[in-house]
């Protein structure tokens, strides 16, 4: 009969803590240990349990309040006192008539937050009087908040809903909260719109409530004990209170089709908060709760799967925290043919995406004057024919890059971000990108710094041919410190190559062209070779990149310096 105070229990040493969520409302019936509110210390979020079973008659705190051990947060009537005059006396009744109590539970559980005038405005679903009646659902007390905007309407006109189903979600600057249905029925008219601001007593929607003779109601009401058992977990799973009873979260498959834009996401406030904190887009999470409701486990499983995908480099077009590219049905525009990707193509695609997403790329451009180099190269044509080796610009580029790597060893590294270490390499192996009918391959020439131009010319031609003939061994494609990708034989004035991770730089070479170059007194026709150096800006700074291309330009401009 008498009300008892609900006090903040021992907080394990925490001083003042903030109330971040109210899990019950005035009028709610709770069991001992049911969570009443969530508080947050700087270390953890904790739910404060109910000291006993009963009905909440007063709440004296609101979201954002600070509380400490011993503070009164509300009042409650002990169990049995409020359950109706036809029940027998409190303690005895609850001890001797467990079945009665079991019947009450679902009813009281199913109407937690929306009880405005609890007993008056709510039809008791177990009473059957026949036909249907229209009810207007009003906004219940909002934990002291007013003018709270609706961020989501969770039902549509024509929906058949059950007691405790979320009707709308409102969000203040402190909390997100769902307004549950006080009873089941059919939604006949929604009286609010997203963005509307709600206060206690506002009209939400109209419901047609089934009474005796209604099939659905019969299903619910006939075996009362069972109906209680069913209603409980569903109502509980709807919000944080149900966390022990939440069904196992579904695997968050990467093929999950998220709902269309604007589609409703069903989740309780605590789950929404968790998703927000973890930066998870709820429209991408598959709910495993009743009516595809998203549960805490679903958020956790989703975040875990996203992390795994990111660690594995993500699949092409998905993962890595970026939305995948949706393909239209191309056949609507004309004839199409589908062909499976070759393994090489799919591996290259994955590697490119991995590099592009992981490496902060910057590209430094430079022109090298190769007029003299080309004159020399051409003068070697006869010698080349004798040797059976064609001298192209590539061996000069290899040699120049090897020298630049030795001069600027910050380019001959890899980053170990996990161990926060820079791996310095004491060898100079350079990869060359080779265009083959099967895709791009990158054979590696080892110890470039120790080889002469003819040797490099022969080896690069041999490796390029092997690549085209698909005869490269895996070892011949490993161990590069740096890569050269030359499009000079094809064309173009500049491009931005993608760093071949875990290397930290790549040199793109475009087609040499005659250009007028000012020599201080007049323009001279010079053969200029465009160089594009892309680098990992985590490992290399811009000044060093400019130094690297300046060194290359100087070496290629005067190939005698390659001998030094
Ligand atoms: N400017 C002008 N001409 C150039 C040049 C340049 N930068 N680079 C090469 N050439 C010329 C060559 O001298 C040769 O001409 P020539 O027969 O008159 O002497 C012609 O272009 C063809 O050379 P190529 O057979 O391509 O030899 P190479 O040693 O320059 O290049 C490979 C060898 C393997 C790099 C090249 O064949 C290749 O596959 N390049 C494509 C790489 C690629 O696809 N990269 C893209 C990665 S995203």
């Amino acid at each position: 009969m008498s009300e008892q105070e609900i006090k903040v229990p021992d907080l394990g040493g925490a001083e003042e803590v903030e109330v971040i969520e109210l899990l019950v409302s005035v009028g709610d019936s709770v069991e001992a240990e049911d969570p009443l509110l969530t508080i947050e210390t700087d270390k953890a979020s904790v739910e404060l349990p109910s000291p006993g079973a009963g009905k909440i008659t007063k709440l004296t705190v609101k979201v954002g309040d600070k509380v400490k051990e011993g503070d009164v947060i509300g009042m409650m009537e002990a169990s049995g006192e409020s359950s109706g005059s036809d029940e027998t006396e409190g303690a005895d009744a609850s001890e001797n008539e467990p079945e009665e109590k079991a019947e009450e539970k679902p009813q009281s559980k199913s109407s937690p937050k929306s009880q405005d005038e609890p007993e008056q405005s709510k039809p008791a679903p177990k009473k059957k009087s026949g036909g249907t009646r229209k009810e207007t659902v009003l906004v219940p007390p909002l934990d002291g908040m007013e003018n709270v905007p609706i961020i989501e309407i969770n039902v549509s006109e024509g929906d058949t809903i059950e007691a405790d189903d979320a009707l709308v979600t409102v969000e203040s600057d402190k909390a997100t909260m769902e307004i549950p249905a006080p009873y089941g029925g059919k939604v006949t008219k929604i009286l609010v719109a997203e963005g509307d601001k709600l206060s206690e007593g506002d009209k939400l929607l109209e419901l047609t409530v089934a009474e005796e003779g209604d099939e659905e109601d019969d299903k619910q009401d006939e075996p009362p004990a069972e109906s209680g058992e069913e209603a409980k977990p569903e109502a509980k799973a709807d919000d944080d209170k149900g966390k022990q009873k939440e069904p196992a979260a579904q695997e968050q498959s990467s093929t999950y089709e998220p709902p269309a834009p604007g589609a409703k996401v069903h989740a309780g406030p605590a789950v929404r908060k968790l998703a927000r904190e973890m930066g998870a887009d709820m429209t991408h999470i598959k709910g495993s709760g009743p009516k595809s409701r998203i549960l805490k486990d679903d958020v956790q499983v989703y975040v875990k799967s996203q992390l795994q995908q990111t660690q594995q480099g993500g699949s092409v077009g998905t993962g890595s925290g970026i939305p995948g590219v949706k393909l239209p049905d191309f056949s609507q525009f004309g004839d199409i043919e589908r062909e499976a990707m070759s393994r090489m193509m799919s591996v290259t695609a994955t590697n490119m995406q991995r590099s592009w997403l992981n490496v902060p790329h910057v590209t430094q451009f430079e022109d090298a004057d190769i007029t003299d180099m080309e004159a020399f190269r051409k003068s070697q044509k006869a010698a080349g024919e004798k040797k059976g080796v064609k001298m192209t610009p590539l061996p000069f580029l290899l040699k120049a890059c090897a020298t630049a790597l030795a001069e600027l060893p910050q380019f001959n590294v890899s980053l170990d971000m996990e161990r926060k270490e820079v791996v310095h390499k004491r060898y100079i192996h350079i990869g060359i990108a080779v265009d083959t009918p099967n895709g791009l391959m990158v054979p590696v020439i080892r110890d470039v710094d120790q080889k002469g131009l003819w040797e490099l010319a022969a080896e690069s031609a041999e490796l390029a041919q092997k690549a085209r003939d698909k005869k490269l061994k895996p070892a011949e494609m490993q161990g590069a410190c740096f890569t050269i990708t030359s499009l000079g034989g094809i064309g173009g004035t500049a491009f931005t190559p993608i760093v071949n991770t875990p290397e930290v730089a790549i040199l793109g070479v475009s087609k040499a062209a005659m250009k007028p170059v000012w020599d201080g007194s007049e323009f001279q026709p010079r053969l200029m070779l465009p160089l594009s150096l892309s680098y990992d800006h985590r490992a290399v700074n811009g000044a060093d990149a400019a130094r690297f291309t300046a060194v290359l330009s100087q070496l290629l401009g005067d190939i005698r310096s390659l001998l030094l």
Side-chain angles (χ1 to χ4, degrees), residues 352 374 377 390-394 432-435 440 464 468 485-490 495 509-512 529:
M352 288 292 180
E374 276 298 274
R377 185 178 72 84
K390 186 179 172 190
M391 182 66 81
T392 66
L394 187 62
I432 47 171
V434 178
D435 178 33
L440 186 68
R468 291 182 186 115
T485 173
S486 172
L487 296 175
I490 304 167
F495 62 111
V509 183
S510 296
K511 192 174 178 65
L529 179 71

PDB file of all heavy atoms in Angstrom, residues 352 374 377 390-394 432-435 440 464 468 485-490 495 509-512 529, ligand 1:
ATOM      1  N   MET A 352      44.324  -3.144 -56.587  1.00  0.00           N
ATOM      2  CA  MET A 352      44.218  -1.720 -56.912  1.00  0.00           C
ATOM      3  C   MET A 352      43.358  -1.009 -55.874  1.00  0.00           C
ATOM      4  O   MET A 352      43.694   0.060 -55.384  1.00  0.00           O
ATOM      5  CB  MET A 352      43.570  -1.531 -58.293  1.00  0.00           C
ATOM      6  CG  MET A 352      44.472  -1.918 -59.433  1.00  0.00           C
ATOM      7  SD  MET A 352      45.850  -0.777 -59.568  1.00  0.00           S
ATOM      8  CE  MET A 352      46.708  -1.479 -60.947  1.00  0.00           C
ATOM      9  N   GLU A 374      68.445   9.817 -75.886  1.00  0.00           N
ATOM     10  CA  GLU A 374      67.877   9.168 -77.059  1.00  0.00           C
ATOM     11  C   GLU A 374      68.899   9.058 -78.185  1.00  0.00           C
ATOM     12  O   GLU A 374      68.954   8.053 -78.901  1.00  0.00           O
ATOM     13  CB  GLU A 374      66.636   9.932 -77.545  1.00  0.00           C
ATOM     14  CG  GLU A 374      65.377   9.524 -76.802  1.00  0.00           C
ATOM     15  CD  GLU A 374      65.019   8.055 -77.007  1.00  0.00           C
ATOM     16  OE1 GLU A 374      64.337   7.715 -77.993  1.00  0.00           O
ATOM     17  OE2 GLU A 374      65.454   7.238 -76.167  1.00  0.00           O
ATOM     18  N   ARG A 377      71.017   6.234 -77.198  1.00  0.00           N
ATOM     19  CA  ARG A 377      70.280   4.962 -77.328  1.00  0.00           C
ATOM     20  C   ARG A 377      70.226   4.527 -78.802  1.00  0.00           C
ATOM     21  O   ARG A 377      70.484   3.373 -79.129  1.00  0.00           O
ATOM     22  CB  ARG A 377      68.868   5.128 -76.774  1.00  0.00           C
ATOM     23  CG  ARG A 377      68.049   3.848 -76.735  1.00  0.00           C
ATOM     24  CD  ARG A 377      66.682   4.069 -76.144  1.00  0.00           C
ATOM     25  NE  ARG A 377      65.795   4.806 -77.030  1.00  0.00           N
ATOM     26  CZ  ARG A 377      65.075   4.255 -78.016  1.00  0.00           C
ATOM     27  NH1 ARG A 377      65.158   2.965 -78.251  1.00  0.00           N
ATOM     28  NH2 ARG A 377      64.295   5.002 -78.780  1.00  0.00           N
ATOM     29  N   LYS A 390      67.134  -5.392 -77.813  1.00  0.00           N
ATOM     30  CA  LYS A 390      66.684  -4.059 -78.231  1.00  0.00           C
ATOM     31  C   LYS A 390      66.818  -3.092 -77.064  1.00  0.00           C
ATOM     32  O   LYS A 390      66.290  -3.350 -75.963  1.00  0.00           O
ATOM     33  CB  LYS A 390      65.230  -4.147 -78.694  1.00  0.00           C
ATOM     34  CG  LYS A 390      64.728  -2.849 -79.274  1.00  0.00           C
ATOM     35  CD  LYS A 390      63.285  -3.004 -79.752  1.00  0.00           C
ATOM     36  CE  LYS A 390      62.726  -1.658 -80.147  1.00  0.00           C
ATOM     37  NZ  LYS A 390      61.302  -1.704 -80.383  1.00  0.00           N
ATOM     38  N   MET A 391      67.516  -1.990 -77.312  1.00  0.00           N
ATOM     39  CA  MET A 391      67.673  -0.997 -76.244  1.00  0.00           C
ATOM     40  C   MET A 391      66.529   0.018 -76.357  1.00  0.00           C
ATOM     41  O   MET A 391      66.426   0.744 -77.346  1.00  0.00           O
ATOM     42  CB  MET A 391      69.031  -0.293 -76.399  1.00  0.00           C
ATOM     43  CG  MET A 391      69.320   0.726 -75.317  1.00  0.00           C
ATOM     44  SD  MET A 391      69.504  -0.002 -73.682  1.00  0.00           S
ATOM     45  CE  MET A 391      71.195  -0.583 -73.753  1.00  0.00           C
ATOM     46  N   THR A 392      65.675   0.011 -75.361  1.00  0.00           N
ATOM     47  CA  THR A 392      64.573   0.991 -75.318  1.00  0.00           C
ATOM     48  C   THR A 392      64.891   1.978 -74.184  1.00  0.00           C
ATOM     49  O   THR A 392      65.894   1.798 -73.466  1.00  0.00           O
ATOM     50  CB  THR A 392      63.229   0.283 -75.029  1.00  0.00           C
ATOM     51  OG1 THR A 392      63.284  -0.249 -73.722  1.00  0.00           O
ATOM     52  CG2 THR A 392      62.950  -0.825 -76.047  1.00  0.00           C
ATOM     53  N   PRO A 393      64.042   2.956 -73.964  1.00  0.00           N
ATOM     54  CA  PRO A 393      64.317   3.881 -72.851  1.00  0.00           C
ATOM     55  C   PRO A 393      64.250   3.204 -71.473  1.00  0.00           C
ATOM     56  O   PRO A 393      64.801   3.708 -70.495  1.00  0.00           O
ATOM     57  CB  PRO A 393      63.223   4.933 -72.986  1.00  0.00           C
ATOM     58  CG  PRO A 393      62.802   4.868 -74.418  1.00  0.00           C
ATOM     59  CD  PRO A 393      62.946   3.444 -74.820  1.00  0.00           C
ATOM     60  N   LEU A 394      63.582   2.060 -71.412  1.00  0.00           N
ATOM     61  CA  LEU A 394      63.335   1.441 -70.100  1.00  0.00           C
ATOM     62  C   LEU A 394      64.600   1.146 -69.282  1.00  0.00           C
ATOM     63  O   LEU A 394      64.623   1.462 -68.080  1.00  0.00           O
ATOM     64  CB  LEU A 394      62.486   0.170 -70.289  1.00  0.00           C
ATOM     65  CG  LEU A 394      62.007  -0.510 -69.012  1.00  0.00           C
ATOM     66  CD1 LEU A 394      61.100   0.414 -68.197  1.00  0.00           C
ATOM     67  CD2 LEU A 394      61.263  -1.811 -69.337  1.00  0.00           C
ATOM     68  N   ILE A 432      58.527  -3.937 -63.151  1.00  0.00           N
ATOM     69  CA  ILE A 432      58.102  -3.213 -64.361  1.00  0.00           C
ATOM     70  C   ILE A 432      56.702  -3.694 -64.739  1.00  0.00           C
ATOM     71  O   ILE A 432      56.448  -4.897 -64.843  1.00  0.00           O
ATOM     72  CB  ILE A 432      59.086  -3.409 -65.549  1.00  0.00           C
ATOM     73  CG1 ILE A 432      59.476  -4.886 -65.731  1.00  0.00           C
ATOM     74  CG2 ILE A 432      60.325  -2.564 -65.384  1.00  0.00           C
ATOM     75  CD1 ILE A 432      60.254  -5.149 -67.019  1.00  0.00           C
ATOM     76  N   ALA A 433      55.827  -2.726 -64.882  1.00  0.00           N
ATOM     77  CA  ALA A 433      54.443  -3.077 -65.247  1.00  0.00           C
ATOM     78  C   ALA A 433      54.414  -3.461 -66.719  1.00  0.00           C
ATOM     79  O   ALA A 433      54.921  -2.727 -67.566  1.00  0.00           O
ATOM     80  CB  ALA A 433      53.532  -1.887 -64.996  1.00  0.00           C
ATOM     81  N   VAL A 434      53.850  -4.623 -66.984  1.00  0.00           N
ATOM     82  CA  VAL A 434      53.796  -5.116 -68.363  1.00  0.00           C
ATOM     83  C   VAL A 434      52.340  -5.322 -68.755  1.00  0.00           C
ATOM     84  O   VAL A 434      51.564  -5.977 -68.042  1.00  0.00           O
ATOM     85  CB  VAL A 434      54.577  -6.444 -68.498  1.00  0.00           C
ATOM     86  CG1 VAL A 434      54.473  -6.967 -69.939  1.00  0.00           C
ATOM     87  CG2 VAL A 434      56.025  -6.253 -68.101  1.00  0.00           C
ATOM     88  N   ASP A 435      52.008  -4.725 -69.869  1.00  0.00           N
ATOM     89  CA  ASP A 435      50.650  -4.840 -70.393  1.00  0.00           C
ATOM     90  C   ASP A 435      50.551  -6.147 -71.173  1.00  0.00           C
ATOM     91  O   ASP A 435      51.298  -6.348 -72.129  1.00  0.00           O
ATOM     92  CB  ASP A 435      50.457  -3.623 -71.316  1.00  0.00           C
ATOM     93  CG  ASP A 435      49.105  -3.615 -71.972  1.00  0.00           C
ATOM     94  OD1 ASP A 435      48.155  -4.087 -71.332  1.00  0.00           O
ATOM     95  OD2 ASP A 435      49.012  -3.128 -73.117  1.00  0.00           O
ATOM     96  N   LEU A 440      47.385  -6.768 -66.418  1.00  0.00           N
ATOM     97  CA  LEU A 440      48.646  -6.169 -66.016  1.00  0.00           C
ATOM     98  C   LEU A 440      49.461  -7.132 -65.153  1.00  0.00           C
ATOM     99  O   LEU A 440      48.941  -7.711 -64.200  1.00  0.00           O
ATOM    100  CB  LEU A 440      48.320  -4.910 -65.201  1.00  0.00           C
ATOM    101  CG  LEU A 440      49.486  -4.043 -64.783  1.00  0.00           C
ATOM    102  CD1 LEU A 440      50.122  -3.378 -65.993  1.00  0.00           C
ATOM    103  CD2 LEU A 440      48.998  -2.986 -63.805  1.00  0.00           C
ATOM    104  N   ALA A 464      59.273  -9.369 -69.790  1.00  0.00           N
ATOM    105  CA  ALA A 464      58.052  -8.876 -70.424  1.00  0.00           C
ATOM    106  C   ALA A 464      57.462  -9.954 -71.332  1.00  0.00           C
ATOM    107  O   ALA A 464      56.241 -10.173 -71.357  1.00  0.00           O
ATOM    108  CB  ALA A 464      58.344  -7.603 -71.216  1.00  0.00           C
ATOM    109  N   ARG A 468      53.850 -11.944 -71.056  1.00  0.00           N
ATOM    110  CA  ARG A 468      52.853 -12.058 -72.140  1.00  0.00           C
ATOM    111  C   ARG A 468      52.531 -13.518 -72.429  1.00  0.00           C
ATOM    112  O   ARG A 468      51.414 -13.850 -72.821  1.00  0.00           O
ATOM    113  CB  ARG A 468      53.360 -11.355 -73.399  1.00  0.00           C
ATOM    114  CG  ARG A 468      53.410  -9.844 -73.201  1.00  0.00           C
ATOM    115  CD  ARG A 468      53.861  -9.088 -74.430  1.00  0.00           C
ATOM    116  NE  ARG A 468      54.009  -7.677 -74.089  1.00  0.00           N
ATOM    117  CZ  ARG A 468      55.168  -7.010 -74.089  1.00  0.00           C
ATOM    118  NH1 ARG A 468      56.288  -7.606 -74.454  1.00  0.00           N
ATOM    119  NH2 ARG A 468      55.203  -5.750 -73.744  1.00  0.00           N
ATOM    120  N   THR A 485      56.094   2.101 -64.378  1.00  0.00           N
ATOM    121  CA  THR A 485      55.033   1.768 -65.330  1.00  0.00           C
ATOM    122  C   THR A 485      55.148   2.724 -66.506  1.00  0.00           C
ATOM    123  O   THR A 485      54.985   3.934 -66.352  1.00  0.00           O
ATOM    124  CB  THR A 485      53.632   1.789 -64.663  1.00  0.00           C
ATOM    125  OG1 THR A 485      52.653   1.608 -65.678  1.00  0.00           O
ATOM    126  CG2 THR A 485      53.353   3.063 -63.897  1.00  0.00           C
ATOM    127  N   SER A 486      55.516   2.167 -67.651  1.00  0.00           N
ATOM    128  CA  SER A 486      55.795   3.018 -68.808  1.00  0.00           C
ATOM    129  C   SER A 486      54.707   2.896 -69.864  1.00  0.00           C
ATOM    130  O   SER A 486      54.443   1.817 -70.384  1.00  0.00           O
ATOM    131  CB  SER A 486      57.148   2.623 -69.416  1.00  0.00           C
ATOM    132  OG  SER A 486      57.331   3.312 -70.632  1.00  0.00           O
ATOM    133  N   LEU A 487      54.071   4.005 -70.124  1.00  0.00           N
ATOM    134  CA  LEU A 487      53.088   4.050 -71.205  1.00  0.00           C
ATOM    135  C   LEU A 487      53.661   4.815 -72.390  1.00  0.00           C
ATOM    136  O   LEU A 487      52.938   5.174 -73.313  1.00  0.00           O
ATOM    137  CB  LEU A 487      51.790   4.716 -70.711  1.00  0.00           C
ATOM    138  CG  LEU A 487      51.057   3.971 -69.594  1.00  0.00           C
ATOM    139  CD1 LEU A 487      49.864   4.781 -69.109  1.00  0.00           C
ATOM    140  CD2 LEU A 487      50.595   2.599 -70.063  1.00  0.00           C
ATOM    141  N   GLY A 488      54.977   5.041 -72.295  1.00  0.00           N
ATOM    142  CA  GLY A 488      55.635   5.864 -73.305  1.00  0.00           C
ATOM    143  C   GLY A 488      55.541   5.317 -74.713  1.00  0.00           C
ATOM    144  O   GLY A 488      55.497   6.097 -75.675  1.00  0.00           O
ATOM    145  N   GLY A 489      55.502   3.981 -74.824  1.00  0.00           N
ATOM    146  CA  GLY A 489      55.390   3.395 -76.159  1.00  0.00           C
ATOM    147  C   GLY A 489      53.995   3.590 -76.730  1.00  0.00           C
ATOM    148  O   GLY A 489      53.762   3.367 -77.919  1.00  0.00           O
ATOM    149  N   ILE A 490      53.063   4.015 -75.903  1.00  0.00           N
ATOM    150  CA  ILE A 490      51.668   4.127 -76.344  1.00  0.00           C
ATOM    151  C   ILE A 490      51.270   5.598 -76.540  1.00  0.00           C
ATOM    152  O   ILE A 490      50.800   5.982 -77.598  1.00  0.00           O
ATOM    153  CB  ILE A 490      50.721   3.438 -75.323  1.00  0.00           C
ATOM    154  CG1 ILE A 490      51.171   1.975 -75.130  1.00  0.00           C
ATOM    155  CG2 ILE A 490      49.274   3.513 -75.792  1.00  0.00           C
ATOM    156  CD1 ILE A 490      50.543   1.277 -73.958  1.00  0.00           C
ATOM    157  N   PHE A 495      50.076  10.862 -66.149  1.00  0.00           N
ATOM    158  CA  PHE A 495      49.006  10.101 -65.498  1.00  0.00           C
ATOM    159  C   PHE A 495      49.353   9.934 -64.020  1.00  0.00           C
ATOM    160  O   PHE A 495      50.453  10.304 -63.599  1.00  0.00           O
ATOM    161  CB  PHE A 495      48.754   8.754 -66.191  1.00  0.00           C
ATOM    162  CG  PHE A 495      49.903   7.770 -66.196  1.00  0.00           C
ATOM    163  CD1 PHE A 495      49.843   6.598 -65.448  1.00  0.00           C
ATOM    164  CD2 PHE A 495      51.039   7.993 -66.968  1.00  0.00           C
ATOM    165  CE1 PHE A 495      50.868   5.681 -65.471  1.00  0.00           C
ATOM    166  CE2 PHE A 495      52.082   7.072 -66.996  1.00  0.00           C
ATOM    167  CZ  PHE A 495      51.998   5.916 -66.243  1.00  0.00           C
ATOM    168  N   VAL A 509      55.686   6.721 -66.651  1.00  0.00           N
ATOM    169  CA  VAL A 509      56.434   7.357 -67.738  1.00  0.00           C
ATOM    170  C   VAL A 509      55.502   7.514 -68.933  1.00  0.00           C
ATOM    171  O   VAL A 509      54.876   6.544 -69.359  1.00  0.00           O
ATOM    172  CB  VAL A 509      57.660   6.500 -68.124  1.00  0.00           C
ATOM    173  CG1 VAL A 509      58.471   7.211 -69.213  1.00  0.00           C
ATOM    174  CG2 VAL A 509      58.523   6.207 -66.904  1.00  0.00           C
ATOM    175  N   SER A 510      55.398   8.735 -69.419  1.00  0.00           N
ATOM    176  CA  SER A 510      54.534   8.973 -70.592  1.00  0.00           C
ATOM    177  C   SER A 510      55.391   9.162 -71.841  1.00  0.00           C
ATOM    178  O   SER A 510      56.619   9.023 -71.783  1.00  0.00           O
ATOM    179  CB  SER A 510      53.627  10.180 -70.339  1.00  0.00           C
ATOM    180  OG  SER A 510      52.758   9.885 -69.262  1.00  0.00           O
ATOM    181  N   LYS A 511      54.763   9.486 -72.925  1.00  0.00           N
ATOM    182  CA  LYS A 511      55.462   9.518 -74.220  1.00  0.00           C
ATOM    183  C   LYS A 511      56.330  10.777 -74.358  1.00  0.00           C
ATOM    184  O   LYS A 511      55.862  11.900 -74.149  1.00  0.00           O
ATOM    185  CB  LYS A 511      54.432   9.479 -75.354  1.00  0.00           C
ATOM    186  CG  LYS A 511      55.035   9.230 -76.717  1.00  0.00           C
ATOM    187  CD  LYS A 511      53.913   9.059 -77.739  1.00  0.00           C
ATOM    188  CE  LYS A 511      54.456   8.842 -79.137  1.00  0.00           C
ATOM    189  NZ  LYS A 511      55.206   7.601 -79.310  1.00  0.00           N
ATOM    190  N   ALA A 512      57.577  10.557 -74.711  1.00  0.00           N
ATOM    191  CA  ALA A 512      58.486  11.687 -74.919  1.00  0.00           C
ATOM    192  C   ALA A 512      58.033  12.492 -76.134  1.00  0.00           C
ATOM    193  O   ALA A 512      57.524  11.924 -77.114  1.00  0.00           O
ATOM    194  CB  ALA A 512      59.912  11.179 -75.134  1.00  0.00           C
ATOM    195  N   LEU A 529      60.753  13.998 -71.676  1.00  0.00           N
ATOM    196  CA  LEU A 529      60.076  12.771 -71.217  1.00  0.00           C
ATOM    197  C   LEU A 529      59.248  13.096 -69.967  1.00  0.00           C
ATOM    198  O   LEU A 529      59.807  13.471 -68.927  1.00  0.00           O
ATOM    199  CB  LEU A 529      61.132  11.709 -70.878  1.00  0.00           C
ATOM    200  CG  LEU A 529      60.594  10.381 -70.362  1.00  0.00           C
ATOM    201  CD1 LEU A 529      59.902   9.611 -71.497  1.00  0.00           C
ATOM    202  CD2 LEU A 529      61.719   9.521 -69.781  1.00  0.00           C
TER     203      LEU A 529
HETATM  204  N1  LIG B   1      58.520   7.904 -75.105  1.00  0.00           N
HETATM  205  C1  LIG B   1      58.579   7.714 -76.421  1.00  0.00           C
HETATM  206  N2  LIG B   1      58.791   6.512 -76.963  1.00  0.00           N
HETATM  207  C2  LIG B   1      58.928   5.479 -76.102  1.00  0.00           C
HETATM  208  C3  LIG B   1      58.882   5.616 -74.741  1.00  0.00           C
HETATM  209  C4  LIG B   1      58.663   6.906 -74.238  1.00  0.00           C
HETATM  210  N3  LIG B   1      58.584   7.138 -72.933  1.00  0.00           N
HETATM  211  N4  LIG B   1      59.055   4.424 -74.178  1.00  0.00           N
HETATM  212  C5  LIG B   1      59.189   3.523 -75.159  1.00  0.00           C
HETATM  213  N5  LIG B   1      59.139   4.176 -76.326  1.00  0.00           N
HETATM  214  C6  LIG B   1      59.262   3.614 -77.640  1.00  0.00           C
HETATM  215  C7  LIG B   1      60.351   2.597 -77.687  1.00  0.00           C
HETATM  216  O1  LIG B   1      61.605   3.206 -77.888  1.00  0.00           O
HETATM  217  C8  LIG B   1      59.903   1.775 -78.837  1.00  0.00           C
HETATM  218  O2  LIG B   1      60.132   2.481 -80.027  1.00  0.00           O
HETATM  219  P1  LIG B   1      61.114   1.956 -81.144  1.00  0.00           P
HETATM  220  O3  LIG B   1      60.611   0.598 -81.509  1.00  0.00           O
HETATM  221  O4  LIG B   1      61.019   2.949 -82.222  1.00  0.00           O
HETATM  222  O5  LIG B   1      62.463   1.918 -80.517  1.00  0.00           O
HETATM  223  C9  LIG B   1      58.405   1.725 -78.664  1.00  0.00           C
HETATM  224  O6  LIG B   1      58.096   2.873 -77.874  1.00  0.00           O
HETATM  225  C10 LIG B   1      57.879   0.496 -77.976  1.00  0.00           C
HETATM  226  O7  LIG B   1      58.623   0.230 -76.803  1.00  0.00           O
HETATM  227  P2  LIG B   1      58.193  -0.985 -75.867  1.00  0.00           P
HETATM  228  O8  LIG B   1      58.187  -2.227 -76.683  1.00  0.00           O
HETATM  229  O9  LIG B   1      56.993  -0.614 -75.179  1.00  0.00           O
HETATM  230  O10 LIG B   1      59.399  -1.158 -74.894  1.00  0.00           O
HETATM  231  P3  LIG B   1      59.689  -0.520 -73.510  1.00  0.00           P
HETATM  232  O11 LIG B   1      60.949  -1.085 -73.037  1.00  0.00           O
HETATM  233  O12 LIG B   1      59.628   0.954 -73.576  1.00  0.00           O
HETATM  234  O13 LIG B   1      58.531  -1.005 -72.565  1.00  0.00           O
HETATM  235  C11 LIG B   1      57.189  -2.527 -71.370  1.00  0.00           C
HETATM  236  C12 LIG B   1      58.448  -2.319 -72.163  1.00  0.00           C
HETATM  237  C13 LIG B   1      57.070  -3.931 -70.931  1.00  0.00           C
HETATM  238  C14 LIG B   1      57.183  -1.580 -70.183  1.00  0.00           C
HETATM  239  C15 LIG B   1      55.989  -2.158 -72.266  1.00  0.00           C
HETATM  240  O14 LIG B   1      55.951  -3.026 -73.371  1.00  0.00           O
HETATM  241  C16 LIG B   1      54.657  -2.196 -71.602  1.00  0.00           C
HETATM  242  O15 LIG B   1      54.049  -3.233 -71.442  1.00  0.00           O
HETATM  243  N6  LIG B   1      54.139  -1.027 -71.244  1.00  0.00           N
HETATM  244  C17 LIG B   1      52.820  -0.895 -70.695  1.00  0.00           C
HETATM  245  C18 LIG B   1      52.885  -0.854 -69.203  1.00  0.00           C
HETATM  246  C19 LIG B   1      51.518  -0.628 -68.659  1.00  0.00           C
HETATM  247  O16 LIG B   1      50.534  -1.139 -69.159  1.00  0.00           O
HETATM  248  N7  LIG B   1      51.410   0.180 -67.655  1.00  0.00           N
HETATM  249  C20 LIG B   1      50.151   0.585 -67.166  1.00  0.00           C
HETATM  250  C21 LIG B   1      50.063   0.286 -65.764  1.00  0.00           C
HETATM  251  S1  LIG B   1      48.611   0.992 -65.121  1.00  0.00           S
END
